[in-house]
Amino acid sequence: MEPWALSLFIGAIHIALAVFVSAHIVLTKPDVRAAIGWTGLVWFAPVAGSALYAVFGINRLRRQAGQLRRGRELPHETSVRPSLDSDIPDGVPASVRPLARLVGTITDTHLTPGNAVDLLVNGDEAYPAMLAAIDGATRSIILATYIFNHGQVADRFIEAFAKAIKRGVEVRVLIDSVGARYSRPPVLRKLRAHGVKVARFLPTIPWRHPYVNLRNHRKLMVVDGTIGFCGGLNIQDACMLSLHPAKPVLDTHFRLCGPVVGHLMKALAFDWKFTTKEALDGPLWFPHLDPAGTVLARGIPEGPDEDFETLPVTFLGALSQAQRAIRIATPYFLPDPTLIDALRVAALRGVQVDILLPAKGNLRFVEWAANAQLSQIVRWGCRVHCSPPPFDHSKLFIIDDAWCLVGSANWDPRSLRLNFEYAVECYSTEFATRLASAFDAKVATSHQLTAADISRRTLPVRLRDGIVRLAQPYL
């Protein structure tokens, strides 16, 4: 074929692909910025842009998740979409009843009374509590985590799982495919060698599983269907400060008992079914749950499937409901313009907005991009506090000492648009006050970032941060 003919042929393929892919983008991308970015890439990177969109840009999970839900409704799915204030338990404070109604509507899940929620600080408190629950298991254990690294902590969990299996306990472990690679070699082989049924969530092989940009970031465990754990803690030595790791990580995790554990188990069963096709049903996994405390709680799944954008809407609803104080702790802070506006409006309404971030992040590009945005909230009255090392991976969201949200999600685009996350909202003045005290103790040892601090940054630093911020949707 003549060179001119080959060029004409390739050009025709590019135009045909670009038109087809652009149509798909326009019809399926609700975010205008994402639609513009993908369309530009498709047209200005002939063929390669279309190929990249096919791998990274198409959300096939919503369709597959919808088919799975329609094809097999779980027997324990009995929740009805709340539509009236009468659906909300009396224990919810009047100031946050609209928030309870909003979350109930977007999650189609009832708020459950009678729960106990305990704060576990760092791996030093959380791991022993989790291992004690595993050692006491008589029927079933399921764990989902993003990272499960080789080390002393991993060995203790594997040994506990192996002992449980010998007692006749059913054990399942789900590890994110990307997170599994943080440990070399991955720990999956060692788990299987001890008899643990383990699976990788969304293996990143493009021609077999085209979801290479998606992560299961959830950190959940349910034992005997009655004891749940949720939060930000991975399975790794870095979170166990008593081991004196080279790069220690602070974190928060939570132990839950009561009806809300059924919400956690529902998410775990769905993820396991999605990954392995094995259904986890019946009393072995879903026993009757008696009241165990006084906290009103509800699980909130988030992911690029049927649960898309449940957490961003929850964030916006909570920010709009706050009347006195907003406390946010997150290791990664890259809110989109809508959330930034909500934070600024809250501060202008007279709400005290405190945001706790690590002074030194563990992801350099994310830290730079976050720094480029901080002036947008600081100059409108939000208070940003930078906590000293060790790196703090905690995720807390507290409103008016009446409502709080705990779980695995960060305030960044990856958590709120690409990752599978899980959070639990709690309506309890006593519990929220306890979390607020823990938050305030961290703030007391932190440095408050001022507008003067931001203005003193050199031009090269500001340019660097601003350029990296342009990649915010992909960080």
Side-chain angles (χ1 to χ4, degrees):
M1 182 181 292
E2 294 291 333
W4 65 267
L6 180 60
S7 298
L8 186 63
F9 177 70
I10 294 175
I13 291 177
H14 164 53
I15 292 173
L17 275 175
V19 169
F20 176 79
V21 174
S22 297
H24 188 276
I25 292 170
V26 169
L27 293 174
T28 61
K29 291 294 178 187
D31 189 313
V32 173
R33 294 169 301 160
I36 292 173
W38 278 116
T39 302
L41 182 64
V42 164
W43 282 97
F44 291 108
V47 182
S50 297
L52 288 170
Y53 178 75
V55 175
F56 294 101
I58 300 175
N59 190 340
R60 300 168 180 83
L61 287 179
R62 287 201 215 176
R63 174 172 54 82
Q64 292 195 8
Q67 290 173 348
L68 180 56
R69 291 182 195 276
R70 289 190 295 271
R72 182 193 61 84
E73 290 294 324
L74 297 174
H76 50 279
E77 287 188 306
T78 57
S79 62
V80 178
R81 181 182 296 276
S83 57
L84 301 172
D85 286 342
S86 58
D87 294 317
I88 302 171
D90 293 336
V92 176
S95 62
V96 288
R97 287 183 73 84
L99 177 59
R101 182 176 180 181
L102 179 149
V103 179
T105 300
I106 62 173
T107 61
D108 196 14
T109 303
H110 276 305
L111 194 59
T112 62
N115 301 288
V117 185
D118 299 313
L119 169 65
L120 304 171
V121 180
N122 303 325
D124 300 79
E125 291 185 4
Y127 294 147
M130 297 169 73
L131 290 167
I134 293 170
D135 290 340
T138 59
R139 298 185 301 274
S140 62
I141 302 165
I142 182 167
L143 167 74
T145 186
Y146 180 58
I147 295 173
F148 199 130
N149 274 351
H150 284 290
Q152 294 184 47
V153 170
D155 288 345
R156 293 175 192 175
F157 272 86
I158 293 172
E159 181 182 359
F161 288 146
K163 289 180 179 178
I165 291 169
K166 289 179 180 178
R167 297 195 306 271
V169 177
E170 291 289 329
V171 178
R172 306 288 186 275
V173 174
L174 184 63
I175 306 174
D176 180 75
S177 182
V178 173
R181 296 176 185 173
Y182 279 61
S183 185
R184 295 180 181 275
V187 76
L188 287 85
R189 184 177 299 176
K190 192 170 185 178
L191 283 161
R192 292 189 181 112
H194 285 78
V196 179
K197 293 183 180 179
V198 59
R200 288 191 302 162
F201 190 86
L202 295 181
T204 52
I205 305 173
W207 55 90
R208 290 182 55 194
H209 302 277
Y211 315 114
V212 296
N213 202 32
L214 306 180
R215 314 276 188 273
N216 191 328
H217 196 244
R218 294 170 179 171
K219 291 95 173 178
L220 299 172
M221 187 173 82
V222 172
V223 175
D224 286 340
T226 60
I227 304 173
F229 293 87
C230 174
L233 203 67
N234 290 296
I235 308 299
Q236 57 182 353
D237 288 356
C239 296
M240 193 84 172
L241 273 62
S242 62
L243 296 178
H244 306 290
K247 296 181 179 180
V249 176
L250 307 179
D251 216 328
T252 51
H253 219 59
F254 298 85
R255 177 175 50 208
L256 305 97
C257 296
V260 75
V261 177
H263 295 182
L264 274 65
M265 189 60 225
K266 175 181 171 181
L268 286 165
F270 185 82
D271 286 352
W272 186 259
K273 170 72 174 180
F274 184 87
T275 304
T276 69
K277 311 305 179 187
E278 179 191 10
L280 305 180
D281 290 327
L284 180 69
W285 301 97
F286 293 92
H288 175 74
L289 294 168
D290 293 318
T294 60
V295 177
L296 289 149
R298 171 167 40 212
I300 306 176
E302 164 72 24
D305 57 357
E306 298 294 288
D307 299 314
F308 189 56
E309 293 191 328
T310 54
L311 282 179
V313 173
T314 299
F315 284 9
L316 288 171
L319 294 174
S320 68
Q321 284 293 118
Q323 298 176 8
R324 300 186 308 277
I326 295 170
R327 294 176 173 90
I328 298 167
T330 180
Y332 313 116
F333 187 70
L334 285 171
D336 63 20
T338 304
L339 287 172
I340 287 177
D341 286 343
L343 288 165
R344 294 193 294 197
V345 168
L348 290 171
R349 288 193 289 111
V351 179
Q352 182 172 303
V353 180
D354 288 289
I355 301 167
L356 181 65
L357 310 175
K360 181 70 172 177
N362 68 334
L363 298 176
R364 187 172 298 176
F365 286 167
V366 175
E367 181 183 356
W368 292 347
N371 288 340
Q373 292 192 171
L374 293 180
S375 64
Q376 298 181 42
I377 57 172
V378 170
R379 63 191 180 95
W380 290 90
C382 299
R383 304 195 304 187
V384 174
H385 309 273
C386 301
S387 62
F391 173 68
D392 197 335
H393 193 248
S394 302
K395 307 124 184 349
L396 300 172
F397 187 11
I398 310 159
I399 298 295
D400 291 342
D401 295 344
W403 175 92
C404 55
L405 187 77
V406 301
S408 62
N410 304 306
W411 284 63
D412 65 0
R414 172 160 291 284
S415 267
L416 302 181
R417 297 191 65 85
L418 296 176
N419 285 352
F420 291 84
E421 305 282 3
Y422 201 88
V424 176
E425 63 163 349
C426 302
Y427 296 80
S428 167
T429 300
E430 187 274 332
F431 182 62
T433 300
R434 203 172 353 134
L435 282 191
S437 296
F439 180 96
D440 292 344
K442 290 177 179 284
V443 167
T445 63
S446 302
H447 164 71
Q448 183 177 341
L449 187 71
T450 65
D453 293 329
I454 295 173
S455 65
R456 279 196 294 266
R457 288 174 176 161
T458 64
L459 179 60
V461 167
R462 286 185 283 128
L463 283 173
R464 178 202 65 190
D465 295 349
I467 292 171
V468 174
R469 185 176 66 89
L470 298 178
Q472 175 186 344
Y474 311 102
L475 294 176

